[in-house]
Amino acid sequence: MELKLPEAKGTKRALLVEGGGMKGAFSGGVLHSLNQFFGAKNFDLVVGVSSGACSAAYYVTMKYPEPEKSKRALSVWYRELSGRKLISVFHPLKGKTFLDQEYLVDFIFRKKVRLESEFLEKNGLPEFRIAVSNLHSHSIEYVKATSNNIFELLKAATSLPIATRGRQWLEGKLYSDAAILNPLPVQDLIEAGYKEIVVILNSPIQHISKPLGLFTGMFAFPRNWKIAKLMRRLHHHHFNFGRKIASDPPEGVTIHTIAPDQLLPVKLTTTARESLFQTVQLGAQKGEEAALKLKKSLRPKSKNKRMGKSS
C-alpha cells in the first residue's frame, strides 16, 4: 500500500480538496463545474481530505466532461444526504452511528449513484490519493486509491470522531479522518515538489480555526489520549497554516485557491436540503469562474514550465 505523496513529475500540478463534513457540498459544486471546463486530466495528482475525498472521487473517474453524470453525482449532496438519511440522532437506536457510513459508501457510492472506480488512473486520469490519519503511528498517510480499496478508503477518510466510530480498518491498520491531524496539507504537496497547486477550500481563505476544546478530544478518542491530544494541538494549527501558505506561497510555487467569499449556509452536520442545495450552487458558480481563469492562466500539461505566485 503506497502511503506517501508521489514525487512531483511532469507539470508538477496538483489539486487539493479540503473536507469539512457537509461543507463538502461546496467543493462538490466546484468540481462539478471543473468537470465541464477543466477536467481531471489537467492534473498530475489529486488529493482529497475527509468529505472532500468523496467529491474528488467522482471527479477523478470522469475521463471527459460528462454533464449529466456529474449532475447526478452533485445531487447526492442535497438529495441523498439531506434529512435523516445520513445523519440522525435516532441512528444509534437502530444500532447505527450518528453518521451512517454504510448508507453513504455501501449504498450511495457502490450502488445508487455508482462511483465508477474502474476508471481510476485510466485514460490519462491522474493518480488519486486520499489523506487519512494512521491511529497506530499517529501520522498522516496518503493512500493511493484503487478499484480494490476505494470504498473502504472512503470510509476511513470519513471516519469522523463522535459522528462515527472514528476508525476504520484498512489492510490491517486502523485509520481515521485526516482532518483530525491535518485538514489542509498544502505544505506536504510543496515538499513533494508540486509547483502549481489548485486548492478548493470550504470556508473563506481568511477564516481562522480556534483550538478544539478539551472535552472534544475526550469524546472523540476516549481510549486514545495521545491521538486526542495531537488532534487538539494540530488540527487548528494545520488548518490556519495551510491557509497562510495558500495566501503567500514560497517562491517558485503558484497556488490557485477556490473558496467561498463568506461562511457557507451549512456547517459540519447540516442536513437541511435547501441549505445544501444553496451550497452546491455557490460551489458550482465559483467553480465555473475559477475554471475559466485556470484555462487562461495554465498552459497545457505538456508545455507548462512556469510558476510563481498566489491567486
Side-chain angles (χ1 to χ4, degrees), residues 106-142:
D106 295 332
F107 178 62
I108 299 300
F109 294 162
R110 283 185 185 268
K111 299 175 181 178
K112 189 167 185 180
V113 187
R114 194 174 79 84
L115 174 63
E116 297 177 327
S117 59
E118 64 270 22
F119 292 133
L120 284 167
E121 282 196 271
K122 300 289 179 61
N123 303 299
L125 289 167
E127 185 171 336
F128 182 36
R129 293 292 180 116
I130 296 181
V132 286
S133 294
N134 185 318
L135 295 181
H136 304 283
S137 65
H138 307 119
S139 62
I140 292 292
E141 293 180 355
Y142 300 93

mmCIF file of all heavy atoms in Angstrom, residues 106-142:
data_model
loop_
_atom_site.group_PDB
_atom_site.id
_atom_site.type_symbol
_atom_site.label_atom_id
_atom_site.label_comp_id
_atom_site.label_asym_id
_atom_site.label_seq_id
_atom_site.Cartn_x
_atom_site.Cartn_y
_atom_site.Cartn_z
ATOM 1 N N ASP A 106 -21.586 2.184 1.117
ATOM 2 C CA ASP A 106 -22.036 0.898 0.578
ATOM 3 C C ASP A 106 -23.300 1.011 -0.268
ATOM 4 O O ASP A 106 -23.489 0.239 -1.213
ATOM 5 C CB ASP A 106 -22.261 -0.105 1.715
ATOM 6 C CG ASP A 106 -20.968 -0.445 2.447
ATOM 7 O OD1 ASP A 106 -19.901 -0.371 1.802
ATOM 8 O OD2 ASP A 106 -21.013 -0.749 3.647
ATOM 9 N N PHE A 107 -24.165 1.956 0.068
ATOM 10 C CA PHE A 107 -25.397 2.109 -0.713
ATOM 11 C C PHE A 107 -25.258 3.174 -1.798
ATOM 12 O O PHE A 107 -25.458 2.906 -2.985
ATOM 13 C CB PHE A 107 -26.574 2.433 0.199
ATOM 14 C CG PHE A 107 -27.863 2.641 -0.552
ATOM 15 C CD1 PHE A 107 -28.420 1.619 -1.313
ATOM 16 C CD2 PHE A 107 -28.515 3.873 -0.523
ATOM 17 C CE1 PHE A 107 -29.605 1.815 -2.028
ATOM 18 C CE2 PHE A 107 -29.692 4.081 -1.226
ATOM 19 C CZ PHE A 107 -30.243 3.043 -1.972
ATOM 20 N N ILE A 108 -24.890 4.414 -1.397
ATOM 21 C CA ILE A 108 -24.839 5.511 -2.381
ATOM 22 C C ILE A 108 -23.692 5.326 -3.366
ATOM 23 O O ILE A 108 -23.887 5.280 -4.585
ATOM 24 C CB ILE A 108 -24.732 6.880 -1.680
ATOM 25 C CG1 ILE A 108 -25.945 7.129 -0.790
ATOM 26 C CG2 ILE A 108 -24.591 7.997 -2.729
ATOM 27 C CD1 ILE A 108 -27.273 7.141 -1.530
ATOM 28 N N PHE A 109 -22.456 5.217 -2.857
ATOM 29 C CA PHE A 109 -21.292 5.173 -3.742
ATOM 30 C C PHE A 109 -21.174 3.852 -4.509
ATOM 31 O O PHE A 109 -20.750 3.822 -5.657
ATOM 32 C CB PHE A 109 -20.006 5.408 -2.950
ATOM 33 C CG PHE A 109 -19.890 6.788 -2.351
ATOM 34 C CD1 PHE A 109 -18.999 7.043 -1.321
ATOM 35 C CD2 PHE A 109 -20.676 7.835 -2.808
ATOM 36 C CE1 PHE A 109 -18.890 8.313 -0.767
ATOM 37 C CE2 PHE A 109 -20.580 9.097 -2.256
ATOM 38 C CZ PHE A 109 -19.687 9.338 -1.239
ATOM 39 N N ARG A 110 -21.534 2.768 -3.864
ATOM 40 C CA ARG A 110 -21.402 1.466 -4.533
ATOM 41 C C ARG A 110 -22.567 1.164 -5.481
ATOM 42 O O ARG A 110 -22.382 0.472 -6.479
ATOM 43 C CB ARG A 110 -21.319 0.340 -3.499
ATOM 44 C CG ARG A 110 -19.985 0.179 -2.803
ATOM 45 C CD ARG A 110 -20.042 -1.045 -1.899
ATOM 46 N NE ARG A 110 -18.842 -1.226 -1.104
ATOM 47 C CZ ARG A 110 -17.792 -1.952 -1.468
ATOM 48 N NH1 ARG A 110 -17.785 -2.562 -2.644
ATOM 49 N NH2 ARG A 110 -16.749 -2.085 -0.666
ATOM 50 N N LYS A 111 -23.774 1.701 -5.157
ATOM 51 C CA LYS A 111 -24.950 1.263 -5.893
ATOM 52 C C LYS A 111 -25.770 2.405 -6.518
ATOM 53 O O LYS A 111 -25.845 2.521 -7.733
ATOM 54 C CB LYS A 111 -25.857 0.436 -4.963
ATOM 55 C CG LYS A 111 -25.191 -0.820 -4.425
ATOM 56 C CD LYS A 111 -26.089 -1.537 -3.418
ATOM 57 C CE LYS A 111 -25.413 -2.766 -2.858
ATOM 58 N NZ LYS A 111 -26.254 -3.452 -1.835
ATOM 59 N N LYS A 112 -26.397 3.223 -5.685
ATOM 60 C CA LYS A 112 -27.404 4.159 -6.207
ATOM 61 C C LYS A 112 -26.819 5.185 -7.167
ATOM 62 O O LYS A 112 -27.379 5.445 -8.237
ATOM 63 C CB LYS A 112 -28.132 4.855 -5.060
ATOM 64 C CG LYS A 112 -29.334 5.656 -5.547
ATOM 65 C CD LYS A 112 -30.240 6.100 -4.425
ATOM 66 C CE LYS A 112 -31.479 6.782 -4.998
ATOM 67 N NZ LYS A 112 -32.391 7.232 -3.914
ATOM 68 N N VAL A 113 -25.725 5.819 -6.768
ATOM 69 C CA VAL A 113 -25.030 6.764 -7.655
ATOM 70 C C VAL A 113 -23.609 6.220 -7.782
ATOM 71 O O VAL A 113 -22.678 6.731 -7.173
ATOM 72 C CB VAL A 113 -25.041 8.198 -7.093
ATOM 73 C CG1 VAL A 113 -24.457 9.181 -8.112
ATOM 74 C CG2 VAL A 113 -26.460 8.628 -6.727
ATOM 75 N N ARG A 114 -23.471 5.193 -8.558
ATOM 76 C CA ARG A 114 -22.262 4.374 -8.545
ATOM 77 C C ARG A 114 -21.008 5.150 -8.929
ATOM 78 O O ARG A 114 -20.968 5.833 -9.958
ATOM 79 C CB ARG A 114 -22.417 3.177 -9.482
ATOM 80 C CG ARG A 114 -21.338 2.112 -9.251
ATOM 81 C CD ARG A 114 -21.581 0.882 -10.086
ATOM 82 N NE ARG A 114 -21.149 1.062 -11.464
ATOM 83 C CZ ARG A 114 -19.898 0.882 -11.874
ATOM 84 N NH1 ARG A 114 -18.950 0.542 -11.016
ATOM 85 N NH2 ARG A 114 -19.577 1.041 -13.126
ATOM 86 N N LEU A 115 -20.025 5.044 -8.077
ATOM 87 C CA LEU A 115 -18.701 5.596 -8.351
ATOM 88 C C LEU A 115 -17.967 4.605 -9.243
ATOM 89 O O LEU A 115 -17.723 3.463 -8.843
ATOM 90 C CB LEU A 115 -17.945 5.803 -7.038
ATOM 91 C CG LEU A 115 -16.485 6.237 -7.130
ATOM 92 C CD1 LEU A 115 -16.369 7.600 -7.797
ATOM 93 C CD2 LEU A 115 -15.859 6.257 -5.746
ATOM 94 N N GLU A 116 -17.633 5.018 -10.454
ATOM 95 C CA GLU A 116 -17.030 4.111 -11.435
ATOM 96 C C GLU A 116 -15.535 3.956 -11.164
ATOM 97 O O GLU A 116 -14.690 4.477 -11.880
ATOM 98 C CB GLU A 116 -17.312 4.628 -12.851
ATOM 99 C CG GLU A 116 -18.805 4.651 -13.157
ATOM 100 C CD GLU A 116 -19.116 5.231 -14.521
ATOM 101 O OE1 GLU A 116 -18.376 6.137 -14.971
ATOM 102 O OE2 GLU A 116 -20.098 4.795 -15.134
ATOM 103 N N SER A 117 -15.241 3.204 -10.119
ATOM 104 C CA SER A 117 -13.862 3.058 -9.656
ATOM 105 C C SER A 117 -12.961 2.372 -10.673
ATOM 106 O O SER A 117 -11.736 2.483 -10.596
ATOM 107 C CB SER A 117 -13.836 2.279 -8.338
ATOM 108 O OG SER A 117 -14.411 0.989 -8.495
ATOM 109 N N GLU A 118 -13.557 1.682 -11.637
ATOM 110 C CA GLU A 118 -12.744 1.007 -12.659
ATOM 111 C C GLU A 118 -11.994 1.989 -13.549
ATOM 112 O O GLU A 118 -11.065 1.599 -14.267
ATOM 113 C CB GLU A 118 -13.619 0.092 -13.522
ATOM 114 C CG GLU A 118 -14.676 0.803 -14.340
ATOM 115 C CD GLU A 118 -16.001 0.970 -13.620
ATOM 116 O OE1 GLU A 118 -16.018 0.928 -12.373
ATOM 117 O OE2 GLU A 118 -17.031 1.138 -14.300
ATOM 118 N N PHE A 119 -12.370 3.276 -13.496
ATOM 119 C CA PHE A 119 -11.708 4.282 -14.318
ATOM 120 C C PHE A 119 -10.561 4.990 -13.595
ATOM 121 O O PHE A 119 -9.938 5.884 -14.173
ATOM 122 C CB PHE A 119 -12.710 5.321 -14.816
ATOM 123 C CG PHE A 119 -13.696 4.790 -15.809
ATOM 124 C CD1 PHE A 119 -15.053 5.066 -15.679
ATOM 125 C CD2 PHE A 119 -13.276 4.009 -16.875
ATOM 126 C CE1 PHE A 119 -15.967 4.572 -16.603
ATOM 127 C CE2 PHE A 119 -14.184 3.507 -17.802
ATOM 128 C CZ PHE A 119 -15.535 3.786 -17.658
ATOM 129 N N LEU A 120 -10.294 4.635 -12.342
ATOM 130 C CA LEU A 120 -9.193 5.276 -11.620
ATOM 131 C C LEU A 120 -7.884 5.094 -12.380
ATOM 132 O O LEU A 120 -7.498 3.976 -12.718
ATOM 133 C CB LEU A 120 -9.064 4.691 -10.212
ATOM 134 C CG LEU A 120 -10.100 5.153 -9.196
ATOM 135 C CD1 LEU A 120 -10.060 4.261 -7.954
ATOM 136 C CD2 LEU A 120 -9.874 6.610 -8.805
ATOM 137 N N GLU A 121 -7.213 6.214 -12.658
ATOM 138 C CA GLU A 121 -5.918 6.245 -13.361
ATOM 139 C C GLU A 121 -5.984 5.673 -14.779
ATOM 140 O O GLU A 121 -4.956 5.301 -15.335
ATOM 141 C CB GLU A 121 -4.837 5.518 -12.555
ATOM 142 C CG GLU A 121 -4.287 6.345 -11.414
ATOM 143 C CD GLU A 121 -2.980 5.779 -10.884
ATOM 144 O OE1 GLU A 121 -3.059 4.930 -9.978
ATOM 145 O OE2 GLU A 121 -1.907 6.182 -11.366
ATOM 146 N N LYS A 122 -7.159 5.601 -15.367
ATOM 147 C CA LYS A 122 -7.295 5.114 -16.742
ATOM 148 C C LYS A 122 -7.528 6.303 -17.680
ATOM 149 O O LYS A 122 -8.028 7.352 -17.272
ATOM 150 C CB LYS A 122 -8.472 4.135 -16.852
ATOM 151 C CG LYS A 122 -8.345 2.899 -15.964
ATOM 152 C CD LYS A 122 -7.271 1.969 -16.461
ATOM 153 C CE LYS A 122 -7.125 0.736 -15.574
ATOM 154 N NZ LYS A 122 -8.344 -0.083 -15.503
ATOM 155 N N ASN A 123 -7.185 6.125 -18.937
ATOM 156 C CA ASN A 123 -7.465 7.137 -19.969
ATOM 157 C C ASN A 123 -6.873 8.509 -19.642
ATOM 158 O O ASN A 123 -7.505 9.543 -19.865
ATOM 159 C CB ASN A 123 -8.979 7.268 -20.173
ATOM 160 C CG ASN A 123 -9.622 5.952 -20.538
ATOM 161 O OD1 ASN A 123 -9.303 5.347 -21.558
ATOM 162 N ND2 ASN A 123 -10.533 5.480 -19.692
ATOM 163 N N GLY A 124 -5.667 8.513 -19.082
ATOM 164 C CA GLY A 124 -4.993 9.779 -18.803
ATOM 165 C C GLY A 124 -5.429 10.463 -17.524
ATOM 166 O O GLY A 124 -4.979 11.583 -17.243
ATOM 167 N N LEU A 125 -6.291 9.829 -16.730
ATOM 168 C CA LEU A 125 -6.738 10.433 -15.480
ATOM 169 C C LEU A 125 -5.610 10.382 -14.448
ATOM 170 O O LEU A 125 -4.769 9.485 -14.472
ATOM 171 C CB LEU A 125 -7.977 9.703 -14.964
ATOM 172 C CG LEU A 125 -9.246 9.960 -15.789
ATOM 173 C CD1 LEU A 125 -10.345 8.970 -15.417
ATOM 174 C CD2 LEU A 125 -9.737 11.396 -15.587
ATOM 175 N N PRO A 126 -5.563 11.351 -13.533
ATOM 176 C CA PRO A 126 -4.433 11.451 -12.601
ATOM 177 C C PRO A 126 -4.503 10.448 -11.460
ATOM 178 O O PRO A 126 -5.543 9.844 -11.187
ATOM 179 C CB PRO A 126 -4.576 12.876 -12.057
ATOM 180 C CG PRO A 126 -6.058 13.099 -12.066
ATOM 181 C CD PRO A 126 -6.540 12.435 -13.335
ATOM 182 N N GLU A 127 -3.381 10.300 -10.793
ATOM 183 C CA GLU A 127 -3.344 9.491 -9.577
ATOM 184 C C GLU A 127 -4.173 10.182 -8.510
ATOM 185 O O GLU A 127 -4.147 11.401 -8.374
ATOM 186 C CB GLU A 127 -1.893 9.330 -9.125
ATOM 187 C CG GLU A 127 -1.718 8.412 -7.925
ATOM 188 C CD GLU A 127 -0.255 8.094 -7.644
ATOM 189 O OE1 GLU A 127 0.568 8.178 -8.589
ATOM 190 O OE2 GLU A 127 0.063 7.777 -6.489
ATOM 191 N N PHE A 128 -4.891 9.387 -7.725
ATOM 192 C CA PHE A 128 -5.759 9.914 -6.680
ATOM 193 C C PHE A 128 -5.293 9.393 -5.332
ATOM 194 O O PHE A 128 -5.220 8.186 -5.113
ATOM 195 C CB PHE A 128 -7.210 9.487 -6.952
ATOM 196 C CG PHE A 128 -8.223 10.001 -5.964
ATOM 197 C CD1 PHE A 128 -8.103 11.264 -5.399
ATOM 198 C CD2 PHE A 128 -9.321 9.218 -5.612
ATOM 199 C CE1 PHE A 128 -9.047 11.742 -4.503
ATOM 200 C CE2 PHE A 128 -10.275 9.684 -4.726
ATOM 201 C CZ PHE A 128 -10.149 10.945 -4.163
ATOM 202 N N ARG A 129 -4.928 10.311 -4.449
ATOM 203 C CA ARG A 129 -4.515 9.951 -3.102
ATOM 204 C C ARG A 129 -5.534 10.495 -2.094
ATOM 205 O O ARG A 129 -5.978 11.638 -2.201
ATOM 206 C CB ARG A 129 -3.136 10.530 -2.779
ATOM 207 C CG ARG A 129 -1.996 9.934 -3.603
ATOM 208 C CD ARG A 129 -1.750 8.480 -3.242
ATOM 209 N NE ARG A 129 -0.666 7.907 -4.024
ATOM 210 C CZ ARG A 129 0.478 7.473 -3.498
ATOM 211 N NH1 ARG A 129 0.682 7.552 -2.203
ATOM 212 N NH2 ARG A 129 1.416 6.948 -4.280
ATOM 213 N N ILE A 130 -5.868 9.673 -1.123
ATOM 214 C CA ILE A 130 -6.792 10.087 -0.071
ATOM 215 C C ILE A 130 -6.026 10.156 1.246
ATOM 216 O O ILE A 130 -5.350 9.203 1.638
ATOM 217 C CB ILE A 130 -7.985 9.118 0.035
ATOM 218 C CG1 ILE A 130 -8.799 9.172 -1.266
ATOM 219 C CG2 ILE A 130 -8.856 9.465 1.240
ATOM 220 C CD1 ILE A 130 -10.016 8.261 -1.274
ATOM 221 N N ALA A 131 -6.105 11.305 1.895
ATOM 222 C CA ALA A 131 -5.403 11.519 3.154
ATOM 223 C C ALA A 131 -6.185 10.890 4.309
ATOM 224 O O ALA A 131 -7.402 11.054 4.408
ATOM 225 C CB ALA A 131 -5.212 13.010 3.400
ATOM 226 N N VAL A 132 -5.492 10.177 5.162
ATOM 227 C CA VAL A 132 -6.091 9.564 6.342
ATOM 228 C C VAL A 132 -5.118 9.661 7.514
ATOM 229 O O VAL A 132 -3.911 9.823 7.323
ATOM 230 C CB VAL A 132 -6.455 8.077 6.092
ATOM 231 C CG1 VAL A 132 -7.685 7.955 5.206
ATOM 232 C CG2 VAL A 132 -5.285 7.318 5.482
ATOM 233 N N SER A 133 -5.644 9.544 8.729
ATOM 234 C CA SER A 133 -4.805 9.548 9.927
ATOM 235 C C SER A 133 -4.572 8.116 10.384
ATOM 236 O O SER A 133 -5.530 7.377 10.640
ATOM 237 C CB SER A 133 -5.487 10.325 11.057
ATOM 238 O OG SER A 133 -5.608 11.691 10.748
ATOM 239 N N ASN A 134 -3.313 7.718 10.475
ATOM 240 C CA ASN A 134 -2.966 6.390 10.970
ATOM 241 C C ASN A 134 -3.031 6.420 12.500
ATOM 242 O O ASN A 134 -2.285 7.149 13.148
ATOM 243 C CB ASN A 134 -1.559 6.019 10.503
ATOM 244 C CG ASN A 134 -1.168 4.601 10.875
ATOM 245 O OD1 ASN A 134 -1.434 4.142 11.979
ATOM 246 N ND2 ASN A 134 -0.514 3.912 9.944
ATOM 247 N N LEU A 135 -3.924 5.629 13.081
ATOM 248 C CA LEU A 135 -4.124 5.654 14.521
ATOM 249 C C LEU A 135 -3.061 4.860 15.281
ATOM 250 O O LEU A 135 -3.041 4.881 16.515
ATOM 251 C CB LEU A 135 -5.519 5.124 14.863
ATOM 252 C CG LEU A 135 -6.685 5.986 14.340
ATOM 253 C CD1 LEU A 135 -8.018 5.394 14.759
ATOM 254 C CD2 LEU A 135 -6.567 7.427 14.830
ATOM 255 N N HIS A 136 -2.185 4.166 14.564
ATOM 256 C CA HIS A 136 -1.074 3.455 15.196
ATOM 257 C C HIS A 136 0.162 4.358 15.282
ATOM 258 O O HIS A 136 0.782 4.477 16.341
ATOM 259 C CB HIS A 136 -0.734 2.190 14.413
ATOM 260 C CG HIS A 136 -1.891 1.264 14.224
ATOM 261 N ND1 HIS A 136 -2.364 0.437 15.214
ATOM 262 C CD2 HIS A 136 -2.690 1.051 13.149
ATOM 263 C CE1 HIS A 136 -3.396 -0.258 14.765
ATOM 264 N NE2 HIS A 136 -3.613 0.092 13.512
ATOM 265 N N SER A 137 0.498 4.994 14.172
ATOM 266 C CA SER A 137 1.686 5.860 14.128
ATOM 267 C C SER A 137 1.368 7.315 14.462
ATOM 268 O O SER A 137 2.261 8.129 14.617
ATOM 269 C CB SER A 137 2.324 5.792 12.736
ATOM 270 O OG SER A 137 1.439 6.325 11.753
ATOM 271 N N HIS A 138 0.053 7.636 14.554
ATOM 272 C CA HIS A 138 -0.394 8.999 14.848
ATOM 273 C C HIS A 138 0.143 9.993 13.825
ATOM 274 O O HIS A 138 0.630 11.071 14.175
ATOM 275 C CB HIS A 138 0.030 9.424 16.261
ATOM 276 C CG HIS A 138 -0.388 8.454 17.323
ATOM 277 N ND1 HIS A 138 0.510 7.792 18.126
ATOM 278 C CD2 HIS A 138 -1.614 8.006 17.688
ATOM 279 C CE1 HIS A 138 -0.150 7.002 18.953
ATOM 280 N NE2 HIS A 138 -1.436 7.106 18.699
ATOM 281 N N SER A 139 0.050 9.615 12.561
ATOM 282 C CA SER A 139 0.569 10.456 11.486
ATOM 283 C C SER A 139 -0.359 10.402 10.277
ATOM 284 O O SER A 139 -1.200 9.502 10.156
ATOM 285 C CB SER A 139 1.975 9.997 11.078
ATOM 286 O OG SER A 139 1.931 8.668 10.583
ATOM 287 N N ILE A 140 -0.178 11.373 9.380
ATOM 288 C CA ILE A 140 -0.959 11.424 8.150
ATOM 289 C C ILE A 140 -0.341 10.505 7.105
ATOM 290 O O ILE A 140 0.881 10.466 6.932
ATOM 291 C CB ILE A 140 -1.001 12.862 7.592
ATOM 292 C CG1 ILE A 140 -1.822 13.756 8.521
ATOM 293 C CG2 ILE A 140 -1.602 12.888 6.191
ATOM 294 C CD1 ILE A 140 -3.292 13.438 8.562
ATOM 295 N N GLU A 141 -1.194 9.769 6.405
ATOM 296 C CA GLU A 141 -0.756 8.962 5.281
ATOM 297 C C GLU A 141 -1.623 9.285 4.078
ATOM 298 O O GLU A 141 -2.789 9.682 4.224
ATOM 299 C CB GLU A 141 -0.834 7.466 5.614
ATOM 300 C CG GLU A 141 0.149 7.047 6.687
ATOM 301 C CD GLU A 141 0.091 5.557 7.021
ATOM 302 O OE1 GLU A 141 -0.804 4.867 6.471
ATOM 303 O OE2 GLU A 141 0.919 5.104 7.818
ATOM 304 N N TYR A 142 -1.044 9.131 2.893
ATOM 305 C CA TYR A 142 -1.748 9.419 1.645
ATOM 306 C C TYR A 142 -1.860 8.110 0.873
ATOM 307 O O TYR A 142 -0.950 7.708 0.167
ATOM 308 C CB TYR A 142 -0.994 10.473 0.839
ATOM 309 C CG TYR A 142 -0.844 11.784 1.586
ATOM 310 C CD1 TYR A 142 0.285 12.045 2.362
ATOM 311 C CD2 TYR A 142 -1.851 12.733 1.544
ATOM 312 C CE1 TYR A 142 0.413 13.229 3.072
ATOM 313 C CE2 TYR A 142 -1.734 13.925 2.248
ATOM 314 C CZ TYR A 142 -0.600 14.162 3.003
ATOM 315 O OH TYR A 142 -0.490 15.339 3.709
#
